[in-house]
Amino acid sequence: MPVATENLSQILYRDMLLIRRTEEKILELFSAGKVGGTTHTCIGQEANAVALVGQLDRQRDFVVSNHRCHGHYLAYGGPLDGLLGEILGTANGVCGGRGGSQHIKYDRFQSNGVLGGGIPIACGMAMGEKLKGGDGITVVSIGDGALGEGTLYESLNMAALWDLPILFLVENNRYAQSTPLHLGVAGSIVDRARPFGIRADEIDTTDVEELLVWSSRAIEAVRLERKPHWAVMHTYRFSAHSKGDDTRDEDEVRAYQEKDPLRIQSARLNAEQLDEAEAWVRDVLGRALAACDAAGEAMKL
Ligand SMILES: Cc1ncc(C[n+]2csc(CCOP(=O)(O)OP(=O)(O)O)c2C)c(N)n1
Ligand SMILES: [Mg+2]
């Protein structure tokens, strides 16, 4: 377990490191032929998940994530062995090893591999919470590629019309699979929600501490006002879209790696704290993988 004296900077670093090392391991397992189906990692985007989803209240808030969901799931507090089991198809998977990397359901968290498919579902969940009179909020995360899905604009209309307590988290990593933003998205991303009367804001940083402050304002706005909010994070992924489908310019990827969120956060810690975080992650990852081994293959349908 993390040491009791851990401060916020350490916790943020450790939470991002857990996502990074987990996904590196998933890619390794994929290359070894141990992953059924495909997988999408959020390597480079960890700060978004930790800063925003990590601040939600698991007792009352809902998350609807997308195909790139591992970071959101872990930041939400989903069990690591359940995630790895799901991806490896072992019986301890959080959905019995049948959902795979993209279709995960745990408590108030779910992910959906259909691009844009989670958006109306999230609106329905926010509506449910509103009708029950609860004070939970729903966060739905989408990428820049989902800006081309018509269901988004129908959902924005309903969210505004019905005052739904929903936060639209847009992670613009500048590519939809291999299509760069300028070939797929016209106009401004942040302005898209404004004609619906939805409050919108954007941030362009990979500094988890800056993202944390910004995210807490967005979350509190939805929680208190019970109205939708459009929150755009400009970001970048270092890994391929999925596997073997990376056509980006290597110099461009390298330039963004200079702003690696882990690197920024590690500069705030000393060597001992960094070692401690690495050892903790190694330990929990090792135990989660051992749990998958022990669980054995998921029951075939
Ligand atoms: C309806 C539908 N169309 C196409 C796909 C295939 N697909 C999966 S992810 C993706 C690109 C998504 O890009 P973006 O929304 O920017 O998210 P990112 O992968 O960059 O996180 C596509 C086209 C899909 N899953 N669902
Ligand atoms: Mg994208």
Side-chain angles (χ1 to χ4, degrees):
M1 284 305 290
V3 286
T5 54
E6 237 182 0
N7 62 36
L8 181 62
S9 295
Q10 280 177 277
I11 292 168
L12 294 169
Y13 178 78
R14 187 198 70 209
D15 289 355
M16 290 194 293
L17 189 70
L18 178 66
I19 298 171
R20 174 75 54 95
R21 295 285 177 261
T22 298
E23 290 200 315
E24 286 169 350
K25 178 54 77 178
I26 291 168
L27 290 176
E28 194 185 308
L29 292 165
F30 188 99
S31 298
K34 297 200 171 141
V35 174
T38 191
T39 191
H40 308 81
T41 62
C42 69
I43 292 174
Q45 301 183 201
E46 297 91 344
N48 308 344
V50 167
L52 197 143
V53 179
Q55 280 195 68
L56 296 175
D57 179 351
R58 294 211 305 271
Q59 305 303 315
R60 55 184 169 157
D61 296 333
F62 300 86
V63 178
V64 180
S65 182
N66 52 53
H67 57 287
R68 206 173 294 289
C69 63
H70 311 150
H72 300 143
Y73 168 93
L74 289 173
Y76 173 80
L80 179 61
D81 54 343
L83 173 70
L84 290 170
E86 201 48 46
I87 293 170
L88 292 169
T90 51
N92 63 334
V94 74
C95 298
R98 298 194 190 95
S101 165
Q102 302 181 67
H103 296 100
I104 291 175
K105 166 81 177 71
Y106 170 73
D107 205 3
R108 291 178 171 80
F109 177 98
Q110 62 175 277
S111 64
N112 191 314
V114 178
L115 198 58
I119 308 170
I121 294 171
C123 285
M125 289 159 70
M127 184 56 141
E129 184 68 1
K130 178 178 168 152
L131 293 175
K132 278 192 281 184
D135 59 0
I137 71 164
T138 299
V139 171
V140 57
S141 66
I142 61 171
D144 45 289
L147 300 174
E149 295 290 344
T151 190
L152 170 65
Y153 303 93
E154 297 175 48
S155 299
L156 286 174
N157 189 53
M158 285 189 282
L161 214 48
W162 298 337
D163 283 336
L164 300 182
I166 184 166
L167 193 158
F168 296 90
L169 166 61
V170 186
E171 287 181 80
N172 167 31
N173 60 12
R174 295 155 163 110
Y175 287 86
Q177 208 145 344
S178 50
T179 306
L181 192 67
H182 71 273
L183 293 182
V185 177
S188 154
I189 297 179
V190 71
D191 283 345
R192 271 172 159 65
R194 291 186 170 137
F196 295 94
I198 295 176
R199 199 214 297 244
D201 203 0
E202 65 186 323
I203 188 166
D204 191 349
T205 182
T206 45
D207 182 335
V208 69
E209 298 198 3
E210 281 177 30
L211 284 163
L212 191 78
V213 174
W214 184 86
S215 300
S216 87
R217 278 201 297 266
I219 291 168
E220 284 317 300
V222 180
R223 195 173 312 284
L224 298 174
E225 293 174 12
R226 316 306 297 162
K227 281 177 190 290
H229 186 97
W230 178 254
V232 182
M233 292 180 176
H234 300 288
T235 185
Y236 199 80
R237 62 171 157 74
F238 301 157
S239 46
H241 165 75
S242 177
K243 289 288 288 178
D245 49 4
D246 202 356
T247 51
R248 297 172 302 173
D249 180 58
E250 282 177 20
D251 287 341
E252 177 187 294
V253 179
R254 259 195 297 276
Y256 278 105
Q257 279 171 334
E258 292 293 314
K259 296 187 232 161
D260 185 334
L262 279 163
R263 186 192 285 204
I264 294 174
Q265 196 60 7
S266 69
R268 298 184 173 121
L269 307 182
N270 62 37
E272 193 187 336
Q273 291 168 325
L274 294 173
D275 287 349
E276 222 166 63
E278 205 66 67
W280 180 80
V281 167
R282 204 179 314 118
D283 178 52
V284 291
L285 200 47
R287 281 192 282 123
L289 287 165
C292 295
D293 279 346
E297 216 177 309
M299 198 174 66
K300 292 268 187 299
L301 289 178

